[in-house]
Amino acid sequence: QVQLVQSGGEVKKPGASVKVSCKASGYTFATYGISWVRQAPGQGLELMGWVSAYNGNTNYAQNLQGRVTMTTDTSTTTAYMELRGLRSDDTAVYYCARVIPPADQGNYFYGMDVWGQGTTVTVSS
Amino acid sequence: DIQMTQSPSTLSASVGDRVTITCRASQSLSIWLAWYQQKPGKAPKLLIYKASTLESGVPSRFSGSGYGTEFTLTISSLQPDDFATYYCQQYSTYPYTFGQGTKLEIK
């Protein structure tokens, strides 16, 4: 079945970097984009951006520009999100999610249909 | 950025009730809106996209409607599994923003 499996939780100190992985299976990885969404404790959802597994193109949220990098490795069907210069307000659950529609239907964003289980990132001194 | 405002923030209802959640956008979205359901400790689940297209596998008691700046998610007959938090998301203009969420509670 189609699934995304994320790496385990992380505890980081302020100023450090974190890299979260998202292993895809059950579908043609290069056909879809992968987005990253985070949710601070007790808060709503924030789309951080997404990366096309088809051509590597990225779109990042403006408030994260310069601190975030999203990549894909088609040989291992894995997506990665690296966040640098961590601050306490980066403490959140980080989700990867598949973007629909697939690339062969155009460069569109209709929503996110398959989600990873989430990775908790805690930033604390 | 486009602001998305959901109402109500909290909704108390009973099994079998018909409920409606509203999402208003600060500017026109055409049909570019999705709805998600999230349960505590779980990832969100896509319910509706393009304002009214039901995602595969989602029960038909869920429906979406609207155009422009006002959209609704309707659950025709609440089931025990439906008590959760619901979010709308616009994808008309980047950055693609979410509403603040509507928590659907058991009355």
Side-chain angles (χ1 to χ4, degrees), chain A residues 37 39 43-50 59-61 95 100 109-113 115-116, chain B residues 32 34 36 38 41-46 49-50 55 87 89 91 94-96 98-100:
Chain A
V37 175
Q39 186 169 37
Q43 302 301 307
L45 303 170
E46 177 189 11
L47 179 66
M48 301 174 66
W50 74 91
N59 280 285
Y60 299 141
Y95 295 102
I100 58 167
F109 184 109
Y110 289 169
M112 297 168 280
D113 70 335
W115 292 66
Chain B
W32 308 121
Y36 299 86
Q38 187 180 33
K42 299 295 186 181
K45 174 185 176 181
L46 178 65
Y49 61 95
K50 288 198 289 182
E55 169 67 355
Y87 293 93
Q89 182 201 18
Y91 49 92
Y94 204 70
Y96 299 159
F98 290 90
Q100 82 281 11

Side-chain angles (χ1 to χ4, degrees), chain B residues 33-82:
Chain B
L33 182 108
W35 289 97
Y36 299 86
Q37 175 195 69
Q38 187 180 33
K39 297 180 179 179
K42 299 295 186 181
K45 174 185 176 181
L46 178 65
L47 300 175
I48 303 276
Y49 61 95
K50 288 198 289 182
S52 61
T53 301
L54 193 68
E55 169 67 355
S56 176
V58 174
S60 59
R61 63 180 180 272
F62 290 91
S63 64
S65 65
Y67 181 91
T69 61
E70 186 158 331
F71 300 84
T72 59
L73 173 70
T74 299
I75 309 172
S76 60
S77 178
L78 269 176
Q79 299 303 301
D81 191 49
D82 300 337

Side-chain angles (χ1 to χ4, degrees), chain A residues 17-125:
Chain A
S17 299
V18 68
K19 191 169 186 176
V20 180
S21 67
C22 172
K23 168 72 174 175
S25 61
Y27 72 96
T28 303
F29 180 70
T31 308
Y32 292 81
I34 294 287
S35 67
W36 291 87
V37 175
R38 68 179 180 178
Q39 186 169 37
Q43 302 301 307
L45 303 170
E46 177 189 11
L47 179 66
M48 301 174 66
W50 74 91
V51 54
S52 168
Y54 176 71
N55 58 20
N57 287 350
T58 54
N59 280 285
Y60 299 141
Q62 189 168 14
N63 65 327
L64 295 173
Q65 287 274 1
R67 289 207 299 140
V68 68
T69 302
M70 298 175 188
T71 57
T72 59
D73 182 342
T74 54
S75 68
T76 60
T77 67
T78 303
Y80 299 92
M81 186 283 298
E82 180 179 32
L83 189 60
R84 300 175 293 278
L86 288 168
R87 311 186 295 239
S88 58
D89 62 356
D90 291 318
T91 294
V93 177
Y94 288 75
Y95 295 102
C96 62
R98 189 175 76 167
V99 175
I100 58 167
D104 57 2
Q105 295 183 24
N107 185 27
Y108 302 114
F109 184 109
Y110 289 169
M112 297 168 280
D113 70 335
V114 178
W115 292 66
Q117 81 277 18
T119 296
T120 300
V121 175
T122 303
V123 183
S124 174
S125 55

